[in-house]
Amino acid sequence: TDRYAVIGNPIGHSRSPRIHRAFAASTLQDLSYEAILSPLDNFSLTVAQFFAQPEAKGLNVTLPFKEQAYALSEVLSLRAQQAGAVNTLMKGKDGRLYGDNTDGTGLVRDITQNLGWQLANKRILVVGAGGAVRGVLGVLLAAQPASLSICNRTPAKAQALAELFKPYGHIQALAFSELQADSVDIIINGSSASLSGESLPLARGILAANACAYDMAYGKKDLPFLAWAKAEGAQIQDGLGMLIEQAAESFFIWRGIRVPTAKLLAEIRTEL
Ligand code: ATR
């Protein structure tokens, strides 16, 4: 039986075992998937111990280890290079450790395929400039928006990300106060303001007609960002689909199978 796991600290609340076991069951794959709590100061040893098992094939990596997983990887995908972070490790047939990042692909797949929102030729605004946002910018640019803007409480961090991603497409940093009326078709919240229940300094009227708003966060409670967007007339969605789709992309990397996600997404929605 091939072995997989998610590794993080804390790890108790991770939904990855639930999701990947469901994927394995629905595709008749014989595999195990566990949760591993890594000591904060011993990530690389914990990873080495896992992969020392002959049946160990892959790991998902979550907070706060995605940058360390990037550093440990012997081969990096373009997505992982752009993200500067790895959420999916795979032991290759050649014995090397491959690092990938499926977060951006998960986000774009949820938005374009599950929700049917178009990204190409749209004016996208991303709010936040932390690790979560860096993880998705490369894949968002690859979707060929008309423009991609980043807005952050600390403007210098948005500026730095815009510089970093310039080689990959049309990207600019803006201050919240610089956002123009009617200027945004798709707004994506990747800041952690939602998680702490705080609202963002977004002015009224910045969204264009028929705008769509996506929060990368999810949970039982209403997210303040989505409440704002709804009041502005936007179509809204939380990030639960991104969670399932990034997992489906990891599963594809490991098993070579594209697993259907709709039924599981609906089930997990009821479990929140
Ligand atoms: P993550 O891994 O979730 O990206 P992070 O790297 O700490 O976490 O980044 C958190 C992001 O949320 C940052 O962009 C942060 O803004 P700052 O760069 O100014 O710190 C943003 N953020 C967190 N709380 C916020 C709040 N209350 N209002 C606005 N932005 C907030």
Side-chain angles (χ1 to χ4, degrees), residues 179-190:
L179 297 171
Q180 305 287 313
D182 264 343
S183 68
V184 179
D185 300 309
I186 304 272
I187 184 167
I188 299 170
N189 180 30

Side-chain angles (χ1 to χ4, degrees), residues 4 14-15 56 62 67 78 80 86 90 97 102 120 124 153 184 186 214 216 227 238 244 246 249:
Y4 299 86
S14 171
R15 292 178 196 276
T62 187
E67 283 83 9
L78 174 64
V86 158
M90 180 178 77
L97 196 56
T102 64
I124 302 178
R153 179 175 61 183
V184 179
I186 304 272
Y214 192 98
M216 285 162 60
D238 74 5
I244 309 281
Q246 63 77 25
E249 185 69 10

Side-chain angles (χ1 to χ4, degrees), residues 50 52-53 67 73 130 141 146-147 161 196 256 269:
F50 177 78
Q53 309 170 100
E67 283 83 9
S73 298
L141 282 170
S147 63
L161 275 189
S196 46
R269 173 83 56 205

Side-chain angles (χ1 to χ4, degrees), residues 114-139:
N114 296 343
L115 300 170
W117 302 354
Q118 190 184 317
L119 294 176
N121 301 315
K122 298 293 184 187
R123 296 163 296 174
I124 302 178
L125 174 66
V126 174
V127 180
V133 166
R134 181 171 174 184
V136 303
L137 288 178
V139 181

Side-chain angles (χ1 to χ4, degrees), residues 63 128-133 152-154 157 190-193 196 198-201:
L63 299 180
V133 166
N152 192 47
R153 179 175 61 183
T154 309
K157 282 168 68 180
S191 81
S192 51
S196 46
E198 290 166 77
S199 56
L200 295 155

Side-chain angles (χ1 to χ4, degrees), residues 52 80 147 168 181 194 245:
S147 63
Y168 306 106
S194 297
E245 293 300 335

